[in-house]
Every structure is written in C-alpha cells, then in structure tokens.
Amino acid sequence: QVQLVESGGGLVQPGGSLRLSCAASGSRFSINDMGWYRQAPGKERELVATISTSGTTDYGDSVKGRFTISRDNAKNTVYLQMNSLKPDDTAVYYCRAIMARQYLYWGQGTQVTVSS
C-alpha cells in the first residue's frame, strides 16, 4: 500500500521559516513527479511547487523566490523549504506523487500556520 507521510508543519511567526518533508513508501512503481499543494479555508487547493526526477522545478507565483523544493530520489523523499513566511501562507500543505506516470497519490496533509 502506497503511503505519503508528511512532516514539519507547525506554527511560525511572519518572516520565519519551516521545512516540510514527505516520504513515499510501499510503491512497486517508479516515482515520477513529486510536489506540494496547499489549501486554505474556503479556498481551492493550489500548486505550491513540483519537481521531476531530474530536478526540474515549477512554483506557484505566490511562493516564487521564497520557497524551494528539492528531493532525494534514493529516499523517495521530497522537501519544501519555506522562508519569509507570510500569514497568507497559512494552509494545509499536501504532498503529491505521480507513480508509473499514471497513478496519483496524496498525503494526509500537514498544517502550516503563520501568525504572530
């Protein structure tokens, strides 16, 4: 059974930093793109960042220059370094992985709250 386990969320003050991690396990298929999405209360889920197996990245406009996505293919783990956090970054952050170029999996989500 495929699992995506996220960690690293929490409460941080504006201007602070957090690092999210997401480890994939249980898949017999190769893992292709991995990424992070977020959903704030009353809003649709939106792209934060994605990364391919070769390291090609894509970012949502609101996080460009502040967030950095990376991955460790040997550990099937993707990371999201979040700097200069703003209250508008408050959301549940979800890890997503595409496997065998056709199967889509989501993590359970981790809460990030930016508040003073």
Side-chain angles (χ1 to χ4, degrees):
Q1 183 177 357
V2 175
Q3 282 190 312
L4 299 179
V5 179
E6 300 129 331
S7 60
L11 173 64
V12 63
Q13 292 186 343
S17 298
L18 281 176
R19 188 187 191 218
L20 305 183
S21 300
C22 171
S25 63
S27 176
R28 59 188 177 93
F29 301 113
S30 60
I31 300 175
N32 307 120
D33 286 9
M34 299 186 78
W36 293 93
Y37 289 72
R38 68 186 183 186
Q39 188 166 18
K43 295 187 178 180
E44 294 186 353
R45 191 171 295 189
E46 65 174 359
L47 167 71
V48 176
T50 60
I51 185 168
S52 69
T53 51
S54 62
T56 301
T57 58
D58 185 31
Y59 293 92
D61 288 342
S62 62
V63 306
K64 286 179 181 176
R66 300 187 297 122
F67 292 10
T68 302
I69 189 170
S70 60
R71 67 189 287 173
D72 184 332
N73 291 330
K75 296 181 179 179
N76 291 332
T77 299
V78 63
Y79 306 96
L80 184 69
Q81 178 65 43
M82 304 185 292
N83 298 328
S84 302
L85 283 160
K86 306 174 182 179
D88 283 351
D89 295 317
T90 296
V92 178
Y93 283 69
Y94 295 92
C95 176
R96 190 191 83 167
I98 299 173
M99 301 182 188
R101 301 196 181 280
Q102 58 179 308
Y103 302 114
L104 183 63
Y105 294 94
W106 291 92
Q108 80 284 356
T110 185
Q111 177 70 45
V112 172
T113 302
V114 184
S115 176
S116 55

